[in-house]
Amino acid sequence: MSKNLDQLRNRVDELNLELLSLINERALLVQEIGRAKETQGVYRYDPVREREMLDLIKEKNNGPFENSTIEHIFKEVFKAGLELQSDDHRKALLVSRKKKPEDTIIDIKGLKIGDGTPDFVFGPCSVESYEQVATVAEAVKAKGFKMLRGGAFKPRTSPYDFQGLGVEGLKILKRVADEYDLAVISEIVTPADIEIAVDYLDVIQIGARNMQNFELLKAAGAVNKPILLKRGLAATIEEFINAAEYIMSQGNGQIILCERGIRTYERATRNTLDISAVPILKKETHLPVMVDVTHSTGRRDLLLPAAKAALAIGADGVMAEVHPDPAVALSDNAQQMDLKQFDEFLEGLKNTPFVRV
Ligand code: PEP
Ligand code: MN
């Protein structure tokens, strides 16, 4: 009796292995079909074809399994095949962890972004004058930080709002960077300005409104300069990752992703900080991830808790806006910190166990 049981079990083992090899053989074919569909631009999921396959299988089913059970089992096989196809596609992305398991660390004037210790970017929303930027630079420097931000080209919702000082603003940033030995980061909005930006900036920012400006992404990918890419106002994580891929596909892998909130129905904050995007991006890509607490919350009272949350969840850095006199700022005057609030913000961060400020 026990010998018989052993024999039966051995046969089950053999059949398991046969099934395994058949399932994998099927998977290889499915992958091949996926690639063929991709070159033809055909959508992968084909319900009509699935229905035909299921009907044929049920027609040939002689039991003892019920048709409903067989349908369930094969549906799982089909689903796994479909997932394999899209997985295969993602695997190919240069920005993905699958392609490069180790973290990318970006060197900005000796500062290592993504090395495990958080880094900070502070500065005004817009560059308004040399004095204004220099005042913030002095505070940033005095606190021991290295990165200064300031917008020279401002993509504003209204065409009648302050549009930025343009190249003049870049010159101010460069001058301040040299005088205070800081690294400067500023947004560029048009591909034609990328080359100029290389001479003035240490990091080129691509803003939320331009996350899918593919020509701009390609131009940013063609230069040897770190890029800070912001998530689009209504971009999915997949779209965000693909935007980064546009840059990297042109040869520039020095990319910092920046979660800056997305548009939802919630009106209590300017945008909704998608905090879970941080670990997802860290898991899916090998790129450093920062969180912009100013544009995501749009509220001064939320800058500190949002920054703590960002760092606790694994962000490589935080960006926040600081202005000598926010009340008279030409943009974002509701959420920029003044220098006293900047002090308080940093004090608040010091009390968090996971941050070394
Ligand atoms: C900015 O950082 O100056 C800015 C405009 O941010 P965003 O593109 O995220 O709105
Ligand atoms: Mn701003």
Side-chain angles (χ1 to χ4, degrees):
M1 175 66 188
S2 108
K3 181 153 188 289
N4 192 23
L5 187 61
D6 281 347
Q7 277 172 349
L8 292 172
R9 281 181 169 159
N10 285 343
R11 183 63 191 136
V12 166
D13 280 342
E14 278 170 22
L15 286 174
N16 279 345
L17 296 181
E18 260 178 64
L19 276 174
L20 175 70
S21 109
L22 285 172
I23 283 175
N24 278 326
E25 195 182 327
R26 186 187 188 282
L28 287 172
L29 278 173
V30 165
Q31 278 179 313
E32 209 173 305
I33 291 170
R35 282 190 287 273
K37 280 188 178 174
E38 193 169 295
T39 45
Q40 290 169 21
V42 181
Y43 190 51
R44 288 198 180 88
Y45 177 56
D46 185 349
V48 176
R49 166 81 184 133
E50 272 203 13
R51 172 48 55 210
E52 283 168 6
M53 290 194 292
L54 282 177
D55 285 348
L56 180 67
I57 290 162
K58 285 195 290 188
E59 193 189 305
K60 302 283 176 197
N61 180 28
N62 297 321
F65 278 129
E66 298 273 355
N67 269 352
S68 60
T69 309
I70 287 292
E71 189 164 317
H72 177 74
I73 292 170
F74 273 89
K75 203 50 214 160
E76 285 304 312
V77 174
F78 296 171
K79 207 168 91 198
L82 204 63
E83 275 166 15
L84 191 68
Q85 285 180 343
S86 49
D87 225 39
D88 201 37
H89 189 65
R90 267 206 295 274
K91 214 183 286 170
L93 289 190
L94 299 168
V95 296
S96 73
R97 277 246 183 243
K98 282 180 189 150
K99 195 83 179 175
K100 178 175 176 274
E102 66 279 7
D103 287 338
T104 288
I105 296 172
I106 296 168
D107 192 315
I108 299 170
K109 278 193 168 172
L111 198 66
K112 305 270 192 284
I113 314 291
D115 67 349
T117 53
D119 293 294
F120 297 84
V121 182
F122 296 115
C125 183
S126 302
V127 173
E128 294 162 4
S129 68
Y130 166 78
E131 291 71 23
Q132 172 237 16
V133 179
T135 306
V136 180
E138 199 177 312
V140 167
K141 178 87 182 170
K143 301 290 180 193
F145 297 109
K146 186 92 188 165
M147 284 188 287
L148 181 74
R149 62 151 285 145
F153 297 94
K154 296 303 298 178
R156 305 303 299 282
T157 302
S158 163
Y160 307 114
D161 285 340
F162 177 58
Q163 301 288 306
L165 297 181
V167 176
E168 193 47 42
L170 296 182
K171 288 184 178 160
I172 292 173
L173 284 170
K174 171 93 181 113
R175 184 177 155 200
V176 173
D178 290 345
E179 287 175 7
Y180 290 87
D181 186 29
L182 294 171
V184 281
I185 163 165
S186 195
E187 176 169 356
I188 294 300
V189 295
T190 169
D193 289 341
I194 291 281
E195 287 291 343
I196 309 170
V198 169
D199 296 334
Y200 291 107
L201 301 175
D202 300 293
V203 180
I204 295 171
Q205 177 171 319
I206 294 183
R209 287 153 197 82
N210 276 312
M211 191 208 81
Q212 283 191 319
N213 180 338
F214 298 118
E215 294 311 312
L216 184 61
L217 296 172
K218 284 191 246 174
V223 292
N224 179 19
K225 187 67 81 176
I227 308 293
L228 184 133
L229 177 66
K230 295 240 187 148
R231 181 175 180 182
L233 279 81
T236 63
I237 290 175
E238 192 181 1
E239 286 164 342
F240 191 16
I241 291 174
N242 273 295
E245 184 73 8
Y246 260 92
I247 299 171
M248 196 157 175
S249 68
Q250 301 300 307
N252 187 0
Q254 306 167 80
I255 306 162
I256 302 164
L257 301 173
C258 183
E259 162 61 37
R260 48 79 70 206
I262 47 173
R263 178 163 295 179
T264 68
Y265 54 79
E266 183 51 67
R267 299 266 61 89
T269 46
R270 175 166 161 178
N271 290 289
T272 297
L273 174 56
D274 182 8
I275 200 76
S276 58
V278 176
I280 295 172
L281 291 167
K282 297 283 301 174
K283 204 171 140 195
E284 297 277 324
T285 80
H286 49 79
L287 302 172
V289 179
M290 283 202 168
V291 171
D292 173 345
V293 292
T294 301
H295 295 98
S296 51
T297 66
R299 284 175 52 159
R300 256 191 292 264
D301 60 332
L302 297 183
L303 299 177
L304 179 59
K308 286 182 182 177
L311 297 169
I313 209 165
D316 296 289
V318 166
M319 175 187 275
E321 288 181 350
V322 181
H323 190 286
D325 189 358
V328 298
L330 292 170
S331 54
D332 282 353
N333 54 16
Q335 62 253 34
Q336 301 196 59
M337 293 181 268
D338 65 21
L339 297 179
K340 184 167 166 286
Q341 289 156 344
F342 181 40
D343 270 355
E344 289 161 5
F345 175 83
L346 296 176
E347 277 308 309
L349 277 188
K350 268 185 193 153
N351 299 330
T352 61
F354 39 81
V355 188
R356 266 172 281 150
V357 181

